[in-house]
Amino acid sequence: MNTSSGTFLASTTFVNGLERDLAAVIAGLTLPWNSGIVEGHVNGIKMIKRQMYGRVGFSLLRKRVPFADRSVAR
């Protein structure tokens, strides 16, 4: 496969995905709400997990995550 046909296939696949979920695309572009804050927190937690890979475990992760909800059952 040459580069131009691969690019065309990727573009076609992307457009087909947008058309399949057109209602969600329109809502995402027109509604004033978004999940940016939540995504930012999730990204931060994933970064901490990557930094701690191979270390102690979940108990250390809970100490590293700021403002963690301590009411969740352990």
Side-chain angles (χ1 to χ4, degrees):
M1 158 178 15
N2 65 33
T3 306
S4 62
S5 66
T7 303
F8 178 75
L9 180 61
S11 298
T12 303
T13 303
F14 176 71
V15 170
N16 287 341
L18 289 178
E19 288 175 344
R20 248 191 323 267
D21 208 3
L22 188 58
V25 172
I26 292 171
L29 295 172
T30 58
L31 295 177
W33 304 285
N34 66 55
S35 59
I37 298 293
V38 174
E39 293 297 331
H41 288 293
V42 169
N43 187 37
I45 291 170
K46 286 181 178 182
M47 182 191 64
I48 292 169
K49 283 179 64 178
R50 281 191 298 272
Q51 290 172 343
M52 294 178 47
Y53 182 76
R55 296 202 175 124
V56 173
F58 189 71
S59 60
L60 181 59
L61 175 63
R62 286 185 62 91
K63 291 177 183 173
R64 296 267 327 254
V65 176
F67 309 113
D69 184 9
R70 304 291 182 197
S71 65
V72 176
R74 296 180 189 171

